Amino acid sequence: MDLELRQLRCLVAIVDEGTFTDAAATLGVSQAAVSRTLASLERALGVRLLRRTSRSVTPTGPGLRVVAHARRVLAEVDDLVRDATSGHVHLRVGYAWSALGRHTLPFQRRWGRAHPETDLHLVRVNSATAGLGEGACELAVLRRPLDDRRFESAIVGLERRLCAMASDDPLARRRSVRLADLAGRTLLVDRRTGTTTADLWPPDSRPATEETHDVDDWLTVIATGRSVGVTAEATANQYQRPGIVYRPVRDAEPIAVRLAWWKDDPHPATQAVLELLTTLYREP
């Protein structure tokens, strides 16, 4: 089934104007063209959309639903045309758990000052590509390698690994912990988007694991004291929570923070974002 925008515009015009004659005048076509266009739409959908009398035109039950959908579709198309022709650019940067930690606000403010023509939006999407593969964003902040040839990525900085634990946990009294201190604990992990698995430990001293899929659930369970978590420093910057403390894991390798984009269709602002994030992570 191939629907055309002219058919939807015709239907909406008839309903809004109340007659075929007035709809034709609004659309700049003949009344016969309006009748033919409506008839082709009804044939395509297989339903009657309008009731005609000598005095009025009113939508049928299915017609009311189709008109509502048509208005939304036409509004989206109008927005698309405005965006494409106005010279104003939108940029969505996706992330899974934490955006850029302490660099998030400086990134937003510096970007706004340096690139006022490009609206920046941070989008949280709990997927392996942080929304990139799903079309939810044009760039993505990732903290694990992206094994997908459709995308390119570059490391913009490094972050320490921290252990999240309940504030009354015995380890919370320390300034830092070691991996061996966590070997006998239960580690709460997100296998889709998380940065830590039991593979971080030697094979003979790996902690037990439980799985979660959301940072808020992760924090809620850790606060009970049943589990601990190991995460990027950015999580601690973005998710301060009563009952939770974070301690550096001093013998764990840091986490590489990557910016990823579509290889065949990079956003025009990709290089500028890459340079700004690299600068921010280099600053003390």
Side-chain angles (χ1 to χ4, degrees):
M1 181 188 302
D2 293 324
L3 297 183
E4 300 179 16
L5 292 178
R6 67 181 182 86
Q7 295 172 318
L8 301 182
R9 292 193 189 281
C10 178
L11 174 63
V12 171
I14 295 170
V15 172
D16 287 348
E17 300 301 329
T19 69
F20 279 57
T21 301
D22 290 340
T26 298
L27 296 171
V29 299
S30 68
Q31 183 175 335
V34 170
S35 296
R36 288 194 300 271
T37 302
L38 175 66
S40 68
L41 178 59
E42 290 181 325
R43 283 196 302 273
L45 295 176
V47 294
R48 186 181 179 190
L49 300 174
L50 299 177
R51 295 189 187 92
R52 292 181 68 178
T53 68
S54 59
R55 295 184 178 181
S56 66
V57 177
T58 57
T60 63
L64 286 171
R65 295 192 294 273
V66 173
V67 168
H69 283 293
R71 292 189 192 281
R72 290 195 292 271
V73 169
L74 294 172
E76 289 287 341
V77 171
D78 290 343
D79 287 344
L80 182 153
V81 172
R82 278 195 298 271
D83 286 347
T85 58
S86 67
H88 207 75
V89 180
H90 296 277
L91 173 61
R92 298 168 299 173
V93 179
Y95 65 95
W97 274 38
S98 51
L100 298 159
R102 65 185 179 89
H103 303 301
T104 302
L105 185 56
F107 172 54
Q108 292 172 298
R109 288 185 172 177
R110 291 193 196 183
W111 182 266
R113 291 194 297 267
H115 304 278
E117 76 287 353
T118 303
D119 287 337
L120 174 68
H121 301 276
L122 298 182
V123 183
R124 181 181 161 197
V125 182
N126 285 347
S127 75
T129 64
L132 197 58
E134 294 79 5
C137 59
E138 290 75 41
L139 299 172
V141 176
L142 304 173
R143 290 177 173 82
R144 54 193 291 174
L146 188 58
D147 187 20
D148 191 323
R149 294 185 178 181
R150 296 176 299 167
F151 307 115
E152 291 278 6
S153 66
I155 295 175
V156 297
L158 300 174
E159 292 177 346
R160 296 182 301 167
R161 290 184 194 266
L162 303 183
C163 178
M165 63 190 78
S167 57
D168 59 353
D169 192 294
L171 293 177
R173 304 189 191 101
R174 303 185 185 182
R175 293 184 178 180
S176 63
V177 299
R178 294 183 178 274
L179 290 172
D181 298 326
L182 309 175
R185 308 295 294 273
T186 298
L187 184 71
L188 199 57
V189 300
D190 181 348
R191 299 186 189 280
R192 292 182 306 169
T193 65
T195 56
T196 302
T197 69
D199 293 340
L200 191 62
W201 283 259
D204 59 345
S205 59
R206 287 175 177 168
T209 61
E210 291 183 4
E211 195 161 352
T212 187
H213 299 294
D214 182 84
V215 64
D216 290 308
D217 293 341
W218 183 79
L219 290 166
T220 298
V221 173
I222 289 174
T224 67
R226 301 199 325 257
S227 307
V228 297
V230 174
T231 187
E233 188 174 357
T235 306
N237 293 120
Q238 231 166 300
Y239 295 99
Q240 295 293 327
R241 180 75 64 89
I244 297 284
V245 298
Y246 296 90
R247 296 292 182 261
V249 184
R250 61 179 182 268
D251 58 344
E253 291 185 358
I255 295 170
V257 182
R258 293 172 168 84
L259 183 70
W261 60 90
W262 283 91
K263 181 187 296 184
D264 295 333
D265 187 25
H267 190 280
T270 298
Q271 187 60 35
V273 174
L274 193 60
E275 292 174 0
L276 177 53
L277 292 183
T278 302
T279 298
L280 288 170
Y281 270 94
R282 285 176 178 169
E283 292 177 354

PDB file of all heavy atoms in Angstrom, residues 112-138:
ATOM      1  N   GLY A 112      27.334  25.131  23.497  1.00  0.00           N
ATOM      2  CA  GLY A 112      26.346  26.168  23.224  1.00  0.00           C
ATOM      3  C   GLY A 112      26.977  27.498  22.854  1.00  0.00           C
ATOM      4  O   GLY A 112      26.464  28.210  21.985  1.00  0.00           O
ATOM      5  N   ARG A 113      28.091  27.835  23.519  1.00  0.00           N
ATOM      6  CA  ARG A 113      28.765  29.099  23.202  1.00  0.00           C
ATOM      7  C   ARG A 113      29.482  29.050  21.856  1.00  0.00           C
ATOM      8  O   ARG A 113      29.456  30.019  21.091  1.00  0.00           O
ATOM      9  CB  ARG A 113      29.764  29.449  24.309  1.00  0.00           C
ATOM     10  CG  ARG A 113      29.121  29.830  25.638  1.00  0.00           C
ATOM     11  CD  ARG A 113      30.134  30.492  26.559  1.00  0.00           C
ATOM     12  NE  ARG A 113      31.224  29.591  26.913  1.00  0.00           N
ATOM     13  CZ  ARG A 113      31.236  28.834  27.993  1.00  0.00           C
ATOM     14  NH1 ARG A 113      30.198  28.854  28.831  1.00  0.00           N
ATOM     15  NH2 ARG A 113      32.260  28.040  28.270  1.00  0.00           N
ATOM     16  N   ALA A 114      30.117  27.919  21.577  1.00  0.00           N
ATOM     17  CA  ALA A 114      30.934  27.819  20.359  1.00  0.00           C
ATOM     18  C   ALA A 114      30.111  27.478  19.123  1.00  0.00           C
ATOM     19  O   ALA A 114      30.500  27.830  18.005  1.00  0.00           O
ATOM     20  CB  ALA A 114      32.033  26.776  20.556  1.00  0.00           C
ATOM     21  N   HIS A 115      28.977  26.789  19.299  1.00  0.00           N
ATOM     22  CA  HIS A 115      28.197  26.324  18.151  1.00  0.00           C
ATOM     23  C   HIS A 115      26.707  26.608  18.367  1.00  0.00           C
ATOM     24  O   HIS A 115      25.889  25.676  18.426  1.00  0.00           O
ATOM     25  CB  HIS A 115      28.415  24.824  17.938  1.00  0.00           C
ATOM     26  CG  HIS A 115      29.852  24.441  17.770  1.00  0.00           C
ATOM     27  ND1 HIS A 115      30.526  24.558  16.569  1.00  0.00           N
ATOM     28  CD2 HIS A 115      30.760  23.958  18.659  1.00  0.00           C
ATOM     29  CE1 HIS A 115      31.771  24.153  16.726  1.00  0.00           C
ATOM     30  NE2 HIS A 115      31.942  23.792  17.969  1.00  0.00           N
ATOM     31  N   PRO A 116      26.321  27.872  18.453  1.00  0.00           N
ATOM     32  CA  PRO A 116      24.907  28.190  18.708  1.00  0.00           C
ATOM     33  C   PRO A 116      23.985  27.745  17.585  1.00  0.00           C
ATOM     34  O   PRO A 116      22.771  27.632  17.789  1.00  0.00           O
ATOM     35  CB  PRO A 116      24.915  29.720  18.847  1.00  0.00           C
ATOM     36  CG  PRO A 116      26.136  30.164  18.096  1.00  0.00           C
ATOM     37  CD  PRO A 116      27.152  29.082  18.308  1.00  0.00           C
ATOM     38  N   GLU A 117      24.530  27.471  16.405  1.00  0.00           N
ATOM     39  CA  GLU A 117      23.703  27.045  15.274  1.00  0.00           C
ATOM     40  C   GLU A 117      23.312  25.568  15.352  1.00  0.00           C
ATOM     41  O   GLU A 117      22.478  25.095  14.574  1.00  0.00           O
ATOM     42  CB  GLU A 117      24.446  27.306  13.954  1.00  0.00           C
ATOM     43  CG  GLU A 117      25.565  26.322  13.621  1.00  0.00           C
ATOM     44  CD  GLU A 117      26.832  26.486  14.476  1.00  0.00           C
ATOM     45  OE1 GLU A 117      26.899  27.461  15.243  1.00  0.00           O
ATOM     46  OE2 GLU A 117      27.734  25.648  14.362  1.00  0.00           O
ATOM     47  N   THR A 118      23.907  24.831  16.290  1.00  0.00           N
ATOM     48  CA  THR A 118      23.646  23.395  16.407  1.00  0.00           C
ATOM     49  C   THR A 118      23.112  23.077  17.793  1.00  0.00           C
ATOM     50  O   THR A 118      23.835  23.178  18.780  1.00  0.00           O
ATOM     51  CB  THR A 118      24.928  22.584  16.142  1.00  0.00           C
ATOM     52  OG1 THR A 118      25.447  22.907  14.847  1.00  0.00           O
ATOM     53  CG2 THR A 118      24.645  21.087  16.204  1.00  0.00           C
ATOM     54  N   ASP A 119      21.850  22.705  17.858  1.00  0.00           N
ATOM     55  CA  ASP A 119      21.229  22.346  19.139  1.00  0.00           C
ATOM     56  C   ASP A 119      21.745  20.992  19.605  1.00  0.00           C
ATOM     57  O   ASP A 119      21.657  19.996  18.882  1.00  0.00           O
ATOM     58  CB  ASP A 119      19.708  22.270  18.994  1.00  0.00           C
ATOM     59  CG  ASP A 119      19.075  23.642  18.857  1.00  0.00           C
ATOM     60  OD1 ASP A 119      19.701  24.620  19.289  1.00  0.00           O
ATOM     61  OD2 ASP A 119      17.962  23.738  18.311  1.00  0.00           O
ATOM     62  N   LEU A 120      22.257  20.945  20.832  1.00  0.00           N
ATOM     63  CA  LEU A 120      22.804  19.718  21.405  1.00  0.00           C
ATOM     64  C   LEU A 120      21.811  19.113  22.382  1.00  0.00           C
ATOM     65  O   LEU A 120      21.290  19.805  23.255  1.00  0.00           O
ATOM     66  CB  LEU A 120      24.120  20.024  22.125  1.00  0.00           C
ATOM     67  CG  LEU A 120      24.764  18.878  22.911  1.00  0.00           C
ATOM     68  CD1 LEU A 120      25.250  17.794  21.953  1.00  0.00           C
ATOM     69  CD2 LEU A 120      25.921  19.395  23.770  1.00  0.00           C
ATOM     70  N   HIS A 121      21.565  17.811  22.243  1.00  0.00           N
ATOM     71  CA  HIS A 121      20.676  17.096  23.151  1.00  0.00           C
ATOM     72  C   HIS A 121      21.367  15.806  23.602  1.00  0.00           C
ATOM     73  O   HIS A 121      21.851  15.031  22.758  1.00  0.00           O
ATOM     74  CB  HIS A 121      19.357  16.747  22.479  1.00  0.00           C
ATOM     75  CG  HIS A 121      18.597  17.925  21.965  1.00  0.00           C
ATOM     76  ND1 HIS A 121      17.765  18.684  22.752  1.00  0.00           N
ATOM     77  CD2 HIS A 121      18.564  18.495  20.733  1.00  0.00           C
ATOM     78  CE1 HIS A 121      17.246  19.662  22.045  1.00  0.00           C
ATOM     79  NE2 HIS A 121      17.714  19.570  20.809  1.00  0.00           N
ATOM     80  N   LEU A 122      21.432  15.569  24.898  1.00  0.00           N
ATOM     81  CA  LEU A 122      21.958  14.319  25.430  1.00  0.00           C
ATOM     82  C   LEU A 122      20.792  13.357  25.632  1.00  0.00           C
ATOM     83  O   LEU A 122      19.765  13.723  26.210  1.00  0.00           O
ATOM     84  CB  LEU A 122      22.693  14.560  26.747  1.00  0.00           C
ATOM     85  CG  LEU A 122      23.918  15.473  26.669  1.00  0.00           C
ATOM     86  CD1 LEU A 122      24.579  15.590  28.032  1.00  0.00           C
ATOM     87  CD2 LEU A 122      24.919  14.960  25.639  1.00  0.00           C
ATOM     88  N   VAL A 123      20.959  12.124  25.146  1.00  0.00           N
ATOM     89  CA  VAL A 123      19.877  11.147  25.141  1.00  0.00           C
ATOM     90  C   VAL A 123      20.356   9.869  25.813  1.00  0.00           C
ATOM     91  O   VAL A 123      21.359   9.288  25.402  1.00  0.00           O
ATOM     92  CB  VAL A 123      19.437  10.822  23.699  1.00  0.00           C
ATOM     93  CG1 VAL A 123      18.254   9.870  23.715  1.00  0.00           C
ATOM     94  CG2 VAL A 123      19.095  12.096  22.943  1.00  0.00           C
ATOM     95  N   ARG A 124      19.653   9.421  26.868  1.00  0.00           N
ATOM     96  CA  ARG A 124      20.027   8.182  27.540  1.00  0.00           C
ATOM     97  C   ARG A 124      19.284   7.004  26.918  1.00  0.00           C
ATOM     98  O   ARG A 124      18.049   6.982  26.900  1.00  0.00           O
ATOM     99  CB  ARG A 124      19.711   8.267  29.026  1.00  0.00           C
ATOM    100  CG  ARG A 124      20.097   7.003  29.789  1.00  0.00           C
ATOM    101  CD  ARG A 124      19.741   7.135  31.256  1.00  0.00           C
ATOM    102  NE  ARG A 124      19.673   5.826  31.885  1.00  0.00           N
ATOM    103  CZ  ARG A 124      19.077   5.593  33.040  1.00  0.00           C
ATOM    104  NH1 ARG A 124      18.491   6.572  33.689  1.00  0.00           N
ATOM    105  NH2 ARG A 124      19.053   4.391  33.547  1.00  0.00           N
ATOM    106  N   VAL A 125      20.032   6.043  26.376  1.00  0.00           N
ATOM    107  CA  VAL A 125      19.461   4.846  25.754  1.00  0.00           C
ATOM    108  C   VAL A 125      20.252   3.637  26.247  1.00  0.00           C
ATOM    109  O   VAL A 125      21.457   3.531  25.990  1.00  0.00           O
ATOM    110  CB  VAL A 125      19.516   4.907  24.217  1.00  0.00           C
ATOM    111  CG1 VAL A 125      18.869   3.661  23.623  1.00  0.00           C
ATOM    112  CG2 VAL A 125      18.837   6.162  23.698  1.00  0.00           C
ATOM    113  N   ASN A 126      19.606   2.730  26.956  1.00  0.00           N
ATOM    114  CA  ASN A 126      20.305   1.564  27.507  1.00  0.00           C
ATOM    115  C   ASN A 126      20.423   0.463  26.458  1.00  0.00           C
ATOM    116  O   ASN A 126      19.694  -0.533  26.487  1.00  0.00           O
ATOM    117  CB  ASN A 126      19.591   1.039  28.751  1.00  0.00           C
ATOM    118  CG  ASN A 126      19.825   1.918  29.960  1.00  0.00           C
ATOM    119  OD1 ASN A 126      20.704   2.775  29.943  1.00  0.00           O
ATOM    120  ND2 ASN A 126      19.038   1.736  30.986  1.00  0.00           N
ATOM    121  N   SER A 127      21.321   0.663  25.530  1.00  0.00           N
ATOM    122  CA  SER A 127      21.595  -0.355  24.511  1.00  0.00           C
ATOM    123  C   SER A 127      23.100  -0.414  24.306  1.00  0.00           C
ATOM    124  O   SER A 127      23.839   0.469  24.749  1.00  0.00           O
ATOM    125  CB  SER A 127      20.889  -0.027  23.193  1.00  0.00           C
ATOM    126  OG  SER A 127      21.556   1.024  22.516  1.00  0.00           O
ATOM    127  N   ALA A 128      23.561  -1.443  23.607  1.00  0.00           N
ATOM    128  CA  ALA A 128      25.001  -1.622  23.401  1.00  0.00           C
ATOM    129  C   ALA A 128      25.627  -0.474  22.633  1.00  0.00           C
ATOM    130  O   ALA A 128      26.808  -0.166  22.808  1.00  0.00           O
ATOM    131  CB  ALA A 128      25.251  -2.939  22.667  1.00  0.00           C
ATOM    132  N   THR A 129      24.845   0.188  21.785  1.00  0.00           N
ATOM    133  CA  THR A 129      25.373   1.325  21.012  1.00  0.00           C
ATOM    134  C   THR A 129      24.891   2.663  21.559  1.00  0.00           C
ATOM    135  O   THR A 129      25.097   3.698  20.929  1.00  0.00           O
ATOM    136  CB  THR A 129      24.962   1.218  19.537  1.00  0.00           C
ATOM    137  OG1 THR A 129      23.526   1.305  19.439  1.00  0.00           O
ATOM    138  CG2 THR A 129      25.440  -0.084  18.916  1.00  0.00           C
ATOM    139  N   ALA A 130      24.269   2.648  22.737  1.00  0.00           N
ATOM    140  CA  ALA A 130      23.762   3.876  23.371  1.00  0.00           C
ATOM    141  C   ALA A 130      22.848   4.661  22.440  1.00  0.00           C
ATOM    142  O   ALA A 130      22.861   5.898  22.429  1.00  0.00           O
ATOM    143  CB  ALA A 130      24.917   4.747  23.858  1.00  0.00           C
ATOM    144  N   GLY A 131      22.048   3.937  21.654  1.00  0.00           N
ATOM    145  CA  GLY A 131      21.083   4.590  20.787  1.00  0.00           C
ATOM    146  C   GLY A 131      21.537   4.820  19.367  1.00  0.00           C
ATOM    147  O   GLY A 131      20.739   5.176  18.503  1.00  0.00           O
ATOM    148  N   LEU A 132      22.820   4.613  19.088  1.00  0.00           N
ATOM    149  CA  LEU A 132      23.341   4.881  17.747  1.00  0.00           C
ATOM    150  C   LEU A 132      22.733   3.923  16.725  1.00  0.00           C
ATOM    151  O   LEU A 132      22.238   4.338  15.677  1.00  0.00           O
ATOM    152  CB  LEU A 132      24.864   4.762  17.754  1.00  0.00           C
ATOM    153  CG  LEU A 132      25.630   5.375  16.572  1.00  0.00           C
ATOM    154  CD1 LEU A 132      25.329   6.848  16.426  1.00  0.00           C
ATOM    155  CD2 LEU A 132      27.129   5.154  16.757  1.00  0.00           C
ATOM    156  N   GLY A 133      22.758   2.635  17.032  1.00  0.00           N
ATOM    157  CA  GLY A 133      22.211   1.644  16.117  1.00  0.00           C
ATOM    158  C   GLY A 133      20.711   1.725  15.981  1.00  0.00           C
ATOM    159  O   GLY A 133      20.146   1.315  14.959  1.00  0.00           O
ATOM    160  N   GLU A 134      20.028   2.281  16.994  1.00  0.00           N
ATOM    161  CA  GLU A 134      18.575   2.377  16.966  1.00  0.00           C
ATOM    162  C   GLU A 134      18.077   3.650  16.296  1.00  0.00           C
ATOM    163  O   GLU A 134      16.874   3.861  16.163  1.00  0.00           O
ATOM    164  CB  GLU A 134      18.009   2.319  18.394  1.00  0.00           C
ATOM    165  CG  GLU A 134      18.225   0.993  19.096  1.00  0.00           C
ATOM    166  CD  GLU A 134      19.627   0.817  19.661  1.00  0.00           C
ATOM    167  OE1 GLU A 134      20.427   1.780  19.598  1.00  0.00           O
ATOM    168  OE2 GLU A 134      19.932  -0.269  20.152  1.00  0.00           O
ATOM    169  N   GLY A 135      19.010   4.531  15.900  1.00  0.00           N
ATOM    170  CA  GLY A 135      18.615   5.784  15.276  1.00  0.00           C
ATOM    171  C   GLY A 135      18.187   6.854  16.252  1.00  0.00           C
ATOM    172  O   GLY A 135      17.626   7.880  15.868  1.00  0.00           O
ATOM    173  N   ALA A 136      18.440   6.657  17.554  1.00  0.00           N
ATOM    174  CA  ALA A 136      18.035   7.623  18.570  1.00  0.00           C
ATOM    175  C   ALA A 136      19.019   8.773  18.701  1.00  0.00           C
ATOM    176  O   ALA A 136      18.733   9.764  19.373  1.00  0.00           O
ATOM    177  CB  ALA A 136      17.868   6.929  19.917  1.00  0.00           C
ATOM    178  N   CYS A 137      20.206   8.648  18.103  1.00  0.00           N
ATOM    179  CA  CYS A 137      21.219   9.699  18.210  1.00  0.00           C
ATOM    180  C   CYS A 137      22.150   9.626  17.012  1.00  0.00           C
ATOM    181  O   CYS A 137      22.170   8.641  16.272  1.00  0.00           O
ATOM    182  CB  CYS A 137      22.000   9.559  19.519  1.00  0.00           C
ATOM    183  SG  CYS A 137      22.832   7.965  19.686  1.00  0.00           S
ATOM    184  N   GLU A 138      22.940  10.698  16.838  1.00  0.00           N
ATOM    185  CA  GLU A 138      23.916  10.748  15.748  1.00  0.00           C
ATOM    186  C   GLU A 138      25.323  10.413  16.227  1.00  0.00           C
ATOM    187  O   GLU A 138      26.166   9.969  15.442  1.00  0.00           O
ATOM    188  CB  GLU A 138      23.919  12.135  15.102  1.00  0.00           C
ATOM    189  CG  GLU A 138      22.691  12.473  14.302  1.00  0.00           C
ATOM    190  CD  GLU A 138      21.475  12.803  15.171  1.00  0.00           C
ATOM    191  OE1 GLU A 138      21.643  13.508  16.188  1.00  0.00           O
ATOM    192  OE2 GLU A 138      20.363  12.347  14.827  1.00  0.00           O
TER     193      GLU A 138
END
